[in-house]
Amino acid sequence: MSTTVPDRRTRRRQQTIEEILDVAIELMEVEGVAALSLSAVARRLGMQPPSLYQYFPSKMAIYDALYQRGNELLRDAYRAARANIDDQLELNLSAASAFCRWCLEHQVYAQLMFWRTIPGFEPSPEAYAPALESIQDLREHLEATIEAGLLHPDAASDEGIALYTAMLAGLISQQLANEPDASFEDGRFSRLLPVVLEMFYQRYAPTRGTT
Amino acid sequence: MSTTVPDRRTRRRQQTIEEILDVAIELMEVEGVAALSLSAVARRLGMQPPSLYQYFPSKMAIYDALYQRGNELLRDAYRAARANIDDQLELNLSAASAFCRWCLEHQVYAQLMFWRTIPGFEPSPEAYAPALESIQDLREHLEATIEAGLLHPDAASDEGIALYTAMLAGLISQQLANEPDASFEDGRFSRLLPVVLEMFYQRYAPTRGTT
DNA sequence: GAGGAAAACCTAATGGCGTTAGGGTTGTCA
DNA sequence: TGACAACCCTAACGCCATTAGGTTTTCCTC
């Protein structure tokens, strides 16, 4: 029973898989998400294109793996931003900022995850799972803010969540489409994040009902 | 001087060009924007692929023509919605609704125009021109609302316009990415348009300064 | 109506792509 | 040491966008 090390071969294999995904992201950053070429990936790895099929059954499977990886990375980034902050209001801004900043700094992932523009690509349930976790995180986050008396209970309703995500998505998508190279602080759209949050807080003010 | 008719040949030519663009849109609706295939277009028209090069110098030129056509169509739809309405508040909602509705009903155009996801595609200045007209229309629209005493002057500032477009873009992009088949009225995100407009009106209320 | 130019369309070919089939080599474990 | 599987290769298929170059069709002018 020498299974202390996961087989050494599987470890090496996993390493190659990660390498393929890394190269794929790099190439997409330069050439565009939809312009990913398996031949180019193979060339960069010193392989012949068919060899990649030892690791992924198709190009779509690579997109799927990246979709999953992106969602995991974003989930973790969001969670990291929520840690180590006590003040609730400051936390909300910093968590939303972390979310936006991550998207601007990982445009390739963001495009893959939030705009479904790759023809024929549908994420697998497994790859989608961490995205559901992130939504759940957001819901819990809003509920904690409600608990703290800073938001009306409706803020964590389906409508509240849809509104929150739509407003953030709007900032991000406009920023990415119109000024992709601007920083989070300077971007004509991303810099409006505090404004948008303020509007959300005003709409779901704790004292006042909605509808 | 029999130039009463524009040459008959050029007329026929223009007709073929429109036909190519129509077929291209139809195919993109089925296969995806980035999956447009000139061979498929040619097949549908009963042509051989190289013959298309009589009409467009490259695939990107077709994308460019569609980009322009989409911007013209949206501009005209927006203008049509602004006509024949007197009440200023109702006008604002109906114009924004028309905008969102058009995007949901012309997803292919919207994807081409608002998310720049085609690798290597950059719209020509000529194709971009009608988009500038639309932005100018929006600005004039907001200024008229300000004039009517319904909005604070800051609403037509660069920040106000960025905020307005970002919020609408957020609704549309979330709707297209998550529920592309829902109607404008039923969509989980698109149906929030009145809410979003209300929030905008609240932020730029006429009595109160912003900054 | 005839001649000629240009427009419209074709075939052939190039180099790229994703993917499949099938054969050899190499590392690893019994 | 033998055997098996993982790994990587070459060859090939059918698709794509695009270019080169020739042929037919259309239409204006004389």
Side-chain angles (χ1 to χ4, degrees):
Chain A
M1 210 182 284
S2 59
T3 36
T4 53
V5 178
D7 226 0
R8 161 156 184 146
R9 275 231 280 234
T10 36
R11 204 154 28 99
R12 180 108 184 79
R13 184 181 172 77
Q14 196 56 36
Q15 200 173 319
T16 305
I17 287 178
E18 298 297 328
E19 214 171 325
I20 291 171
L21 295 180
D22 289 341
V23 170
I25 285 286
E26 277 176 45
L27 290 178
M28 287 194 279
E29 279 166 357
V30 177
E31 303 290 339
V33 173
L36 175 63
S37 150
L38 294 197
S39 304
V41 173
R43 233 172 293 142
R44 188 100 129 202
L45 290 169
M47 280 183 176
Q48 294 299 319
S51 301
L52 292 177
Y53 286 75
Q54 292 283 332
Y55 303 94
F56 293 96
S58 71
K59 192 176 167 183
M60 287 304 155
I62 293 183
Y63 280 127
D64 198 62
L66 290 173
Y67 181 92
Q68 176 166 358
R69 209 162 87 158
N71 276 303
E72 288 167 354
L73 288 172
L74 177 54
R75 178 199 60 193
D76 296 343
Y78 187 71
R79 286 179 178 169
R82 285 182 60 190
N84 304 328
I85 297 191
D86 289 330
D87 180 61
Q88 189 74 21
L89 277 178
E90 186 192 338
L91 188 157
N92 291 344
L93 177 56
S94 103
S97 295
F99 184 92
C100 286
R101 198 187 300 268
W102 188 91
C103 290
L104 297 189
E105 282 168 1
H106 302 80
Q107 309 200 0
V108 166
Y109 283 113
Q111 188 174 333
L112 197 56
M113 290 154 60
F114 301 128
W115 310 336
R116 304 281 183 74
T117 60
I118 306 293
F121 171 60
E122 194 83 23
S124 64
E126 192 192 359
Y128 187 58
L132 291 177
E133 286 184 61
S134 288
I135 294 176
Q136 186 56 27
D137 283 357
L138 170 60
R139 178 168 263 125
E140 286 170 11
H141 179 187
L142 288 176
E143 278 165 358
T145 313
I146 293 166
E147 208 73 26
L150 294 168
L151 276 177
H152 188 278
D154 286 352
S157 67
D158 285 345
E159 181 187 291
I161 302 240
L163 196 56
Y164 190 92
T165 58
M167 293 199 308
L168 256 59
L171 293 184
I172 294 166
S173 77
Q174 284 284 86
Q175 189 63 55
L176 290 186
N178 295 296
E179 282 184 354
D181 296 329
S183 72
F184 171 72
E185 285 78 15
D186 298 339
R188 204 165 85 236
F189 299 93
S190 60
R191 106 174 84 124
L192 296 177
L193 176 62
V195 173
V196 159
L197 284 184
E198 191 189 319
M199 291 169 81
F200 185 79
Y201 270 78
Q202 190 148 359
R203 167 155 180 86
Y204 290 110
T207 56
R208 189 177 133 272
T210 58
T211 308
Chain B
M1 208 184 280
S2 59
T3 37
T4 53
V5 178
D7 227 2
R8 153 136 198 167
R9 276 231 279 234
T10 38
R11 204 154 28 100
R12 180 109 184 77
R13 183 181 173 78
Q14 195 57 36
Q15 200 172 318
T16 304
I17 288 178
E18 299 295 330
E19 215 171 325
I20 291 172
L21 296 180
D22 289 341
V23 170
I25 285 286
E26 277 176 44
L27 290 178
M28 286 194 280
E29 279 165 359
V30 177
E31 304 290 339
V33 174
L36 175 63
S37 149
L38 294 196
S39 303
V41 172
R43 233 172 294 142
R44 187 100 131 203
L45 290 170
M47 279 182 176
Q48 296 299 319
S51 301
L52 291 178
Y53 286 75
Q54 291 283 330
Y55 303 96
F56 294 96
S58 73
K59 192 175 166 182
M60 287 304 155
I62 293 184
Y63 280 127
D64 198 62
L66 290 173
Y67 181 93
Q68 175 166 359
R69 209 162 86 158
N71 276 305
E72 287 166 355
L73 288 172
L74 177 56
R75 177 199 60 194
D76 295 343
Y78 187 73
R79 285 179 177 170
R82 285 182 59 190
N84 303 327
I85 297 190
D86 289 333
D87 179 61
Q88 189 74 21
L89 277 178
E90 187 193 339
L91 189 154
N92 291 343
L93 177 56
S94 106
S97 295
F99 185 91
C100 286
R101 199 186 299 270
W102 188 91
C103 290
L104 297 189
E105 283 168 2
H106 302 80
Q107 310 200 1
V108 166
Y109 283 114
Q111 188 174 333
L112 197 57
M113 288 154 61
F114 300 128
W115 311 337
R116 304 281 183 75
T117 60
I118 306 294
F121 171 60
E122 195 82 26
S124 64
E126 191 191 0
Y128 187 59
L132 291 177
E133 285 184 61
S134 288
I135 294 175
Q136 186 56 28
D137 282 357
L138 170 61
R139 178 168 262 126
E140 286 170 9
H141 179 187
L142 288 176
E143 278 165 357
T145 313
I146 293 166
E147 207 72 25
L150 294 168
L151 277 176
H152 189 278
D154 287 350
S157 67
D158 284 346
E159 181 188 291
I161 301 235
L163 196 57
Y164 190 92
T165 57
M167 293 200 306
L168 257 59
L171 293 184
I172 293 166
S173 77
Q174 284 286 83
Q175 189 62 52
L176 291 185
N178 295 296
E179 284 184 351
D181 296 329
S183 72
F184 171 71
E185 285 79 14
D186 298 339
R188 204 163 84 235
F189 299 92
S190 60
R191 104 178 90 144
L192 296 178
L193 177 62
V195 173
V196 159
L197 285 184
E198 191 188 318
M199 291 169 80
F200 185 80
Y201 271 79
Q202 192 148 357
R203 167 155 180 87
Y204 291 110
T207 55
R208 188 176 134 271
T210 58
T211 305

